[in-house]
């Protein structure tokens, strides 16, 4: 495999061998290493010295169930620190078919031209994107599929990324060619926009599947992993209800963020929970699907297609974090309206979590009544129109809070929290506070642990363990839910890696990889100027009791400061 | 022997679809001092304690928990997040 470099200043492409110390890492860990090696931590995230990094995980390329994720990274325009955000779809798989270990978009364009970067076995070409600039994500994908054919993978941005909005993400085609798999977090869409790259098209028709050193051993490990995953009880739950199986569980602990993180129980829960959603989808039929795979080969199939009363698709997928932030967090209990808002935010190329949180802050500032879905949609349209208010909201919750002088702003390191209230699920609060990524649900959730979620003394250890595991999975290209399969047969990770690459790796390779990723990320953040003060929840959460538990976030600063000692 | 009345709130795959709609909760009278395990046996509900969160008053409890009158007991097939 090789390192592919795209120089936006000179429209040049070059290919290099992989440096030795990049070889045995992938995805999230590789992004952190590239950042430390090649990006000045003090640089302007939207300036010429930042790089957009694409890095498939180490297991990507084999249609191993739920293990073909693509990591995007760079210095985050939103947090100012390290950023990795990953997505399903087909981008990772096709990059690996072209032999790309990592793709780096470098330097800054010297003029106003916008580009489609077209990749195939011969290298990269710069093709004009002038005809698609300004288009929404869905129309952009359609045009690109017409131009390049149905077999390509595409990573693209919407109008928000073009406008350098800090909550912009990067969309990827799912297996049905819908651009719905979003590396949403941390403003990487703005970073791509700063390079004037509207889309990266990956044509792997003449690519090759990566070599497997010991095919027999790989297949044996794959079989055991797949069986373990399919037999796991959680797999059926995700297949039936998608990630929106979560509301009942979060609310059950008093941890459902409600009306801008001012309560932990939502009275309209029954109308938005996954059990109700599933009933809707089964009744509505037509284009509705209760289960759907985002990546080829995924056996979990936690995605869905949400359809209206006539069975016409509104959005795919409708997921828990989006439901949480656009639903209870805004006091809205209408799933159809949540789905429509989801579509609009996707089409703009924005992160539903940060926009949902920004709308919650806007409601607190008096720009909408909680529960008024029509007004929430109007505010989203302000973003599309590019009004001053829309530009503020499109930068996410932190900027919105500052612009509107709101003090209850649910962010860490400038990034919005997802749909777990950290005063009720305190271990997840520890993750939000201490993850180098900022508040992030994929960095290590603790709600599944059978612990007292309100006891401040037991949270750091649980959070540390899951954060390390998650950083490992993010470096393998494995979906968080693939972890259910690997948990039953942890030795298959070592077997798969050794069979794929011919290396010898440790029994605890997953944890080694995770620790390495976090260590590198913390070092990048340190050099970027982050201190212990950045590893804290918003102050209001330490003194404002959250009903119905009436709890505050009281995990000790000592625990937060020492969570990653001895990595 | 005194009795208590409790409600079992069923989540996701524990909910049962019937011709009359989804069964999302069950009310149950039980002898004071019996455990959740006893009650589940009486109701014919099978759960895997390892894979199920039992939540009362927003706290994890075990199958040996002895419900109090009026308790709402959430039976939540555990998942890791969304």
């Amino acid at each position: 495999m090789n390192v592919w470099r795209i120089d936006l200043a000179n429209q040049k492409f070059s290919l290099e061998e992989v440096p030795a110390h990049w070889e045995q890492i992938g995805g999230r860990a590789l992004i952190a290493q590239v950042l430390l090696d090649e990006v000045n931590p003090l640089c302007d995230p939207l300036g010429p010295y930042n790089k957009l990094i694409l890095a498939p995980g180490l297991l990507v390329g084999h249609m191993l169930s739920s293990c073909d994720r693509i990591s995007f990274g760079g210095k985050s325009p939103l947090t100012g620190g390290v950023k990795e955000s990953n997505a399903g779809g087909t981008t990772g798989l096709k990059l690996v078919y072209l032999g790309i270990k990592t793709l780096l978009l470098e330097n800054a364009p010297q003029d106003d031209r916008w580009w489609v970067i077209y990749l195939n076995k011969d290298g990269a070409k710069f093709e004009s994107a002038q005809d698609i600039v300004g288009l929404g994500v869905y129309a952009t994908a359609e045009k690109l599929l017409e131009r390049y054919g149905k077999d390509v993978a595409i990573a693209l941005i919407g109008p928000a990324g073009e406008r350098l909005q800090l909550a912009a993400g990067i969309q990827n085609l799912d297996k049905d060619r819908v651009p719905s798999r979003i590396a949403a977090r941390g403003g990487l869409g703005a970073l791509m926009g700063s390079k004037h790259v509207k889309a990266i098209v990956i044509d792997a028709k003449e690519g090759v599947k990566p070599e497997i050193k010991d095919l027999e051993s790989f297949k044996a490990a794959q079989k055991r992993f797949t069986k373990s995953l399919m037999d796991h009880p959680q797999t059926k739950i995700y297949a039936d209800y998608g990630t929106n199986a979560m509301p009942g569980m979060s609310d059950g602990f008093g941890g459902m963020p409600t009306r801008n993180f001012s309560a932990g129980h939502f009275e309209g829960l029954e109308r938005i929970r996954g059990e109700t959603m599933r009933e809707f989808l089964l009744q509505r039929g037509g284009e509705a699907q209760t289960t759907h795979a985002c990546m080829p080969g995924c056996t979990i199939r936690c995605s869905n297609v949400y359809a209206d009363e006539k069975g016409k698709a509104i959005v795919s997928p409708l997921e828990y974090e989006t439901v949480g932030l656009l639903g209870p967090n805004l006091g809205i209990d209408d799933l159809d309206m949540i789905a429509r808002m989801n579509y609009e935010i996707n089409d703009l190329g924005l992160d539903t979590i940060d926009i949902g949180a920004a709308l919650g802050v806007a409601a607190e500032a008096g720009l909408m009544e909680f529960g008024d879905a029509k007004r929430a949609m109007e505010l989203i349209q302000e973003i599309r129109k590019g009004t001053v208010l829309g530009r503020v909201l499109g930068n996410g919750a932190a900027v919105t809070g500052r612009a509107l002088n709101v003090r209850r702003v649910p962010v860490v390191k400038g990034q919005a929290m997802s749909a777990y209230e950290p005063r009720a699920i305190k271990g997840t609060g520890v993750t939000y506070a201490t993850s180098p990524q900022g508040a992030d649900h994929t960095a290590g959730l603790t709600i599944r642990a059978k612990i007292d979620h309100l006891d401040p003394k037991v949270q750091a250890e649980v959070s540390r363990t899951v954060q390390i595991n998650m950083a490992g999975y993010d470096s393998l290209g494995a979906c968080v839910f693939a972890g259910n399969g690997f948990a039953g047969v942890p030795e298959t990770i070592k077997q798969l890696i050794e069979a794929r690459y011919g290396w010898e790796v440790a029994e605890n390779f997953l944890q080694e990889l995770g620790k390495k990723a976090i260590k590198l990320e913390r070092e990048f953040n340190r050099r970027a100027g982050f201190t212990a003060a950045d590893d804290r929840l918003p102050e209001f959460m330490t003194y404002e009791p959250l009903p119905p538990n009436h709890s505050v976030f009281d995990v000790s600063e000592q625990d937060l400061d020492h969570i990653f000692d001895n990595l | 022997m005194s009795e208590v009345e409790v409600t079992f709130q069923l989540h996701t795959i524990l909910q049962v679809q019937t011709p009359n709609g989804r069964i999302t909760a069950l009310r149950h009278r039980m002898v004071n001092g019996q455990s959740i395990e006893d009650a589940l046996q009486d109701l014919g509900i099978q759960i895997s304690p390892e894979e199920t969160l039992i939540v009362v008053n927003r706290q994890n409890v075990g199958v040996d928990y002895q419900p109090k009158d009026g308790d709402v007991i959430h039976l939540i097939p555990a998942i890791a997040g969304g």
Side-chain angles (χ1 to χ4, degrees):
Chain A
M1 297 184 85
N2 292 102
V3 177
W4 289 33
R5 292 183 190 272
I6 309 287
D7 175 356
L8 273 303
N10 303 296
Q11 288 96 56
K12 284 193 173 155
F13 157 73
S14 62
L15 186 145
E16 292 168 10
E17 284 188 6
V18 178
H21 69 296
W22 292 9
E23 273 187 8
Q24 296 201 5
I25 50 178
R28 181 170 161 185
L30 179 56
I31 282 168
Q33 186 68 64
V34 174
L35 280 172
L36 273 176
D37 289 352
E38 300 198 357
V39 173
N40 179 354
L42 299 174
C43 75
D44 170 6
L46 299 175
Y49 305 124
N50 199 6
K51 299 187 181 191
L52 179 65
I53 306 160
L54 280 70
L58 287 173
L59 288 176
V60 174
H62 308 283
M63 286 201 259
L64 195 61
S65 181
S66 332
C67 292
D68 275 329
R69 290 179 82 81
I70 176 67
S71 289
F72 294 82
K75 176 171 174 173
S76 169
L78 184 72
T79 72
V82 67
K83 179 49 60 186
E84 183 267 358
S85 184
N86 61 64
T90 54
T91 301
L93 189 70
K94 305 256 168 160
L95 284 174
V96 170
Y97 283 4
L98 291 182
I100 298 174
K101 172 81 173 174
T102 181
L103 175 75
L104 307 176
L105 270 55
E106 305 177 332
N107 296 323
Q110 304 295 305
D111 54 38
D112 293 336
R113 286 177 297 173
W114 282 81
W115 301 103
V116 172
I117 307 295
Y118 173 80
L119 310 175
N120 70 4
K121 71 171 179 41
D122 299 321
K125 285 185 198 159
F126 291 73
E127 301 195 344
S128 174
Q130 294 308 130
D131 59 326
I132 50 174
V133 168
L135 292 184
V137 160
Y138 294 102
T140 300
E142 262 180 43
K143 289 219 174 241
L144 291 172
L145 286 165
E146 273 170 29
R147 194 193 297 179
Y148 294 102
K150 302 285 185 197
D151 291 331
V152 296
I154 304 174
L156 71 158
I157 59 171
E162 294 172 30
R163 296 174 194 159
L164 310 183
Q165 294 195 297
L166 302 183
I170 299 172
Q171 263 100 334
N172 298 268
L173 299 187
D174 70 8
K175 69 170 183 53
D176 300 321
R177 306 180 188 89
V178 177
S180 58
R181 313 315 309 186
I182 311 179
R185 312 239 58 201
L188 293 175
L191 171 50
M192 189 154 148
S194 74
K195 306 295 185 197
H196 283 192
V197 174
K198 177 72 174 170
I200 302 165
V201 173
I202 306 127
D203 182 348
K205 280 195 294 289
E206 294 175 86
V208 288
K209 289 183 182 173
E211 180 195 10
I212 295 174
K213 296 279 186 190
D214 183 344
L215 188 59
E216 205 173 309
S217 171
F218 190 91
K219 280 187 172 171
Q222 178 174 12
K223 198 172 165 187
R224 293 187 62 223
F225 160 66
T226 307
K227 183 172 183 334
S228 170
L229 183 60
M230 292 192 74
D231 288 349
H232 197 285
Q234 290 191 34
T235 299
K236 176 162 173 50
I237 301 171
Y238 285 123
D240 281 358
Y241 303 96
T243 58
N244 203 27
M246 280 306 300
M249 191 162 158
S250 296
D251 200 83
F253 287 113
M256 172 58 80
T258 300
R259 290 180 286 277
N260 191 33
F261 286 73
S262 65
H265 163 65
F266 182 50
E267 60 286 350
L269 188 83
E270 287 303 319
R271 291 184 284 282
I272 56 107
R273 62 192 298 166
E275 296 90 328
T276 305
M277 183 177 85
R278 178 175 167 79
E279 204 167 66
F280 281 0
L281 298 184
L282 290 172
Q283 283 167 1
R284 291 174 176 187
E287 293 170 356
Q289 291 182 46
T290 56
T291 184
H292 172 263
C294 84
M295 293 186 264
C298 178
T299 55
I300 306 174
R301 298 169 57 87
C302 73
S303 176
N304 55 44
V305 179
Y306 188 88
D308 66 14
E309 284 181 338
K310 292 179 180 158
K312 185 159 173 44
I314 298 176
V315 75
S316 170
L318 184 57
E319 303 222 40
Y320 170 64
E321 307 297 342
T322 301
V323 170
L325 271 295
L326 295 175
N329 185 53
L330 303 182
I332 292 171
D333 62 5
D334 180 338
L335 268 182
D336 286 5
M337 279 304 290
I338 293 169
R340 290 183 205 287
M341 288 192 278
N342 190 170
Y343 178 89
E344 290 297 317
I345 296 168
N346 282 0
D347 194 47
L348 287 162
L350 287 161
D351 172 13
T352 53
I353 295 176
D354 235 299
I355 296 304
L359 292 173
V361 170
E364 177 130 352
L367 296 184
M368 65 171 267
E369 293 286 328
F370 285 111
D372 186 347
K374 188 166 166 282
R375 177 62 183 148
M377 185 65 102
E378 285 171 6
L379 291 176
I380 294 166
Q381 295 308 329
E382 296 281 327
I383 305 175
R384 190 177 289 281
K385 288 180 209 155
T387 62
V388 172
L389 174 58
R391 289 180 193 204
V392 169
L393 294 169
N395 282 324
V399 167
T400 300
R402 282 184 171 255
L404 302 180
N405 305 106
V406 173
R407 288 170 64 203
R408 189 187 290 122
V409 183
V411 301
V412 178
K413 300 182 178 72
Q415 182 168 284
M417 293 175 188
S418 53
Y420 306 87
E421 232 299 344
R423 284 166 286 182
I425 315 292
K426 293 181 183 176
T428 297
V430 174
T431 300
Y432 287 163
T434 59
S435 169
Q437 301 289 336
D440 193 327
H441 65 292
T442 67
L445 294 174
T446 62
I447 193 167
R448 168 70 177 82
K450 288 195 173 187
I451 56 173
D452 177 353
H453 291 293
L454 298 178
D455 179 355
K457 294 190 180 64
V458 301
Q459 309 300 330
E461 193 184 333
V462 180
S463 171
R464 176 187 156 102
T465 302
V466 288
Q467 286 199 64
I468 289 169
N469 286 344
M470 283 314 307
Y473 288 129
D474 288 343
S475 304
L476 292 175
C479 165
V480 52
F481 306 141
N484 297 327
F486 285 124
V489 284
E491 67 282 2
T492 56
I493 293 176
K494 172 180 163 73
Q495 288 163 3
L496 286 164
I497 290 291
E498 291 186 343
R500 159 75 177 88
Y501 294 99
W503 307 331
E504 268 187 44
V505 299
E507 298 287 337
N508 61 343
F509 181 67
L510 176 75
Q511 287 76 22
E512 281 196 352
L513 206 50
K515 286 179 183 178
K516 182 172 183 112
I518 292 173
K519 206 169 173 176
L520 294 169
E521 289 173 346
R522 284 171 63 82
E523 178 58 18
F524 184 84
N525 278 358
R526 190 190 66 76
R527 294 184 196 176
F530 284 60
T531 68
D534 296 293
D535 287 344
R536 295 290 184 271
L537 293 191
E539 192 177 73
F540 78 89
M541 290 184 165
T542 66
Y543 61 76
E544 191 177 285
L546 178 81
N549 286 314
H550 302 291
S551 51
V552 297
F553 186 78
D554 53 0
V555 175
S556 74
E557 295 195 339
Q558 167 93 357
D559 277 3
L560 299 179
D561 290 344
H562 294 282
I563 185 170
F564 291 126
D565 285 358
N566 308 314
L567 267 184
Chain B
M1 278 188 293
S2 64
E3 286 194 333
V4 296
E5 184 170 296
V6 301
T7 303
F8 283 95
Q9 197 73 47
L10 308 173
H11 290 245
T12 63
I13 53 173
L14 290 174
Q15 295 189 351
V16 182
Q17 194 69 45
T18 73
N20 299 322
R22 262 187 299 138
I23 298 175
T24 61
L26 295 170
R27 295 188 102 175
H28 182 62
R29 290 191 74 80
M30 57 193 287
V31 174
N32 194 7
Q34 279 192 318
S35 68
I36 286 178
E37 194 171 17
D38 297 328
L40 292 177
Q41 212 162 28
D42 289 348
L43 288 164
I45 297 176
Q46 287 188 334
I47 61 162
S48 156
E50 280 295 300
E51 298 295 338
T52 309
L53 298 180
I54 305 171
V55 178
V56 181
N57 293 324
R58 301 176 297 282
Q59 285 281 345
N60 279 313
V61 298
V63 285
D64 56 347
Y65 174 82
Q66 296 172 358
K68 296 172 185 55
D69 194 44
D71 271 353
V72 176
I73 301 155
H74 292 267
L75 299 178
I76 309 175
I79 52 173

